[in-house]
Amino acid sequence: MLLCAMVASALMFADHRLTRMEEVRAQLSTVVAPIQWLVAVPSDVLAWGSLALSDQRALVEENQRLREQILHLSHRVQHMSSLTAENVRLRELLGAAARKESPYITAELLSLDPDPYNHQMVIDRGRRNGVYVGQPVLDASGLVGQVTAVSAYSSRVLMVADASHALPVQVNRNGLRFILQGSGHYDELRVLHVPDTADIREGDLLVTSGLAGRFPAGYPVARVSEVVHDPGQPFARVSATPVAMLQRSRHFLLLFPPDPVAVPDDDSWDTDPDRHPGESVPAVQVPAGQSGGETAHAEESD
């Protein structure tokens, strides 16, 4: 027991002080991945068994609900098609570049961090699938977090609710930009340094601003739940609720950078004195392993 305690203390100290322990942790994650899959087998078998034992009436009711949901989503898609076409025309009038769709791959939850003060999870995609550190992770409702560690077959994700996580956001209604930080609770986020006179209200949707270059712009993150104005204080206290189902989602999307976009051929943009006039600037290249997966376009929430 004493030897185990000493070894554990030495490993914790090395993990805290030495940067090379990241590689060791990645290798250990690769070794532990089969065990994580094995632990998930009972829940998968239970889900399969409950589905197999479902009676016909429950399946018919579920089918009816799904049909109604498909009809509702089809109506929204028709409305979004007209808005997309109008947006394209306005961008053409303004001479703005068209937005690129972000490729993605799907992932499934393997495990959650048991520490109540760490909001992290492990998913079943890793380096072999092109996953990289800093990659955005979403569920069906909004932004979940970002990848912080990658092994061959699995990856660790830091959720937006973690107290150490922060990202730039903007108010979808008026474009005001702020910093959103986790509070250590799944149902609460904090909007930092909001001037007391800022136009932010309860119910406002906060979306990614894209300013940090890590998260694509326009993805929903949280909705403002409380705005407290304290007389005599320069900043208001603003709280928000994540729109992603952090405690219930099991399936996720991992976004990749969009396709390379060439810089417009304009002398005012030219910083290379050796480039000949009329020669286009090379496109920005996406790193290897970050271009695969199915392609989808996430709708911007209103």
Side-chain angles (χ1 to χ4, degrees):
M1 293 291 293
L2 181 59
L3 179 61
C4 292
M6 293 176 62
V7 172
S9 301
L11 289 176
M12 287 188 292
F13 177 80
D15 182 57
H16 182 68
R17 295 292 183 180
L18 302 179
T19 57
R20 291 188 177 180
M21 290 300 296
E22 291 291 338
E23 301 178 2
V24 177
R25 184 184 298 174
Q27 296 297 330
L28 291 177
S29 297
T30 303
V31 175
V32 174
I35 301 177
Q36 293 175 330
W37 293 334
L38 186 62
V39 171
V41 167
S43 61
D44 295 339
V45 172
L46 182 61
W48 177 85
S50 62
L51 181 62
L53 297 176
S54 298
D55 57 6
Q56 184 178 4
R57 182 180 182 83
L59 293 176
V60 170
E61 293 177 353
E62 183 179 5
N63 190 19
Q64 180 64 27
R65 290 195 302 269
L66 292 177
R67 287 180 180 272
E68 293 177 356
Q69 185 177 5
I70 290 175
L71 184 62
H72 174 69
L73 294 177
S74 299
H75 175 265
R76 291 191 60 185
V77 168
Q78 294 174 9
H79 181 61
M80 289 297 297
S81 297
S82 62
L83 293 179
T84 301
E86 182 180 359
N87 190 21
V88 171
R89 291 194 296 269
L90 292 175
R91 284 182 171 272
E92 290 176 351
L93 290 174
L94 295 174
R99 287 188 175 181
K100 296 291 183 178
E101 296 182 350
S102 297
Y104 68 87
I105 59 174
T106 59
E108 189 172 354
L109 177 68
L110 282 180
S111 64
L112 288 171
D113 196 321
D115 189 345
Y117 299 102
N118 290 331
H119 295 75
Q120 302 183 24
M121 63 180 181
V122 178
I123 56 177
D124 64 347
R125 298 286 187 173
R127 190 180 300 108
R128 290 178 177 267
N129 306 107
V131 180
Y132 59 95
V133 174
Q135 187 169 11
V137 180
L138 295 87
D139 67 357
S141 302
L143 184 69
V144 173
Q146 61 178 302
V147 176
T148 56
V150 180
S151 64
Y153 301 101
S154 63
S155 301
R156 181 169 291 272
V157 177
L158 181 68
M159 300 185 188
V160 294
D162 193 274
S164 63
H165 190 281
L167 75 155
V169 296
Q170 67 181 24
V171 180
N172 193 46
R173 176 173 54 85
N174 53 23
L176 287 178
R177 295 185 291 269
F178 302 104
I179 299 297
L180 187 67
Q181 185 179 27
S183 64
H185 302 281
Y186 283 108
D187 58 350
E188 183 182 2
L189 303 174
R190 299 191 184 101
V191 186
L192 304 181
H193 307 128
V194 179
D196 194 61
T197 57
D199 183 15
I200 185 170
R201 312 169 187 169
E202 294 184 9
D204 279 345
L205 179 65
L206 304 178
V207 300
T208 53
S209 64
L211 293 182
R214 175 161 294 186
F215 300 99
Y219 287 92
V221 182
R223 194 172 293 277
V224 176
S225 58
E226 184 182 23
V227 180
V228 178
H229 297 280
D230 190 358
Q233 297 296 326
F235 299 108
R237 297 196 304 273
V238 181
S239 301
T241 304
V243 296
M245 296 180 290
L246 302 181
Q247 293 181 287
R248 290 179 289 174
S249 294
R250 292 187 59 89
H251 298 88
F252 307 95
L253 300 178
L254 283 78
L255 299 183
F256 290 90
D259 295 335
V261 179
V263 179
D265 185 13
D266 189 347
D267 292 340
S268 61
W269 291 73
D270 190 6
T271 58
D272 185 0
D274 296 330
R275 187 172 66 87
H276 298 288
E279 182 182 352
S280 59
V281 179
V284 178
Q285 297 297 325
V286 178
Q290 301 180 13
S291 58
E294 303 98 337
T295 302
H297 180 70
E299 298 177 1
E300 293 186 9
S301 301
D302 188 9

